[in-house]
């Protein structure tokens, strides 16, 4: 809370699925072939593999990443009644 820079956490909990939010950090990223600085927010997803299989957990993580990166649910111009399209295959 009072630190500087990014970070991540390893949650220990009896919950089936958890999301841990880290600290915002400025990192270099490639955008259209150009190296630029962007603020990134690390998220750690944790699953109880006795309850959730790895393949559905990976699909969920990929869909969540796609939704965050594209802000798909914030785009009202599509007029699709709030339906979210799945991420493209191969991401």
């Amino acid at each position: 809370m009072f630190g500087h820079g990014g970070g991540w956490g390893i949650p220990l909990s009896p919950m089936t699925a958890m999301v841990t939010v880290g600290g915002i950090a400025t990192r270099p990223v490639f955008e259209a072939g150009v190296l630029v600085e962007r603020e990134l927010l690390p998220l750690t997803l944790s699953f109880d593999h006795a309850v959730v299989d790895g393949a559905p957990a990976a699909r969920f993580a990929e869909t969540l990443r796609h939704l965050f990166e594209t802000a798909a649910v914030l785009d009202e111009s599509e007029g699709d009644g709030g339906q979210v399209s799945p991420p493209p295959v191969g991401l």
Side-chain angles (χ1 to χ4, degrees):
M1 178 170 146
F2 298 105
H4 298 287
W8 51 272
I10 300 176
L12 301 173
S13 172
M15 305 305 287
T16 301
M18 294 187 329
V19 177
T20 303
V21 180
I24 295 175
T26 303
R27 300 277 191 247
V29 296
F30 280 102
E31 216 171 77
V34 178
L35 188 62
V36 295
E37 283 191 351
R38 291 285 182 249
E39 287 186 334
L40 300 178
L41 178 67
L43 299 176
T44 301
L45 299 176
S46 301
F47 299 94
D48 180 354
H49 286 283
V51 179
V52 179
D53 189 36
R59 286 192 299 270
F60 171 77
E62 182 61 28
T63 300
L64 186 65
R65 183 188 66 80
H66 172 73
L67 292 174
F68 277 126
E69 287 181 352
T70 62
V73 296
L74 300 178
D75 186 11
E76 296 179 14
S77 65
E78 293 181 14
D80 57 4
Q83 297 296 317
V84 176
S85 58
V89 176
L91 282 181

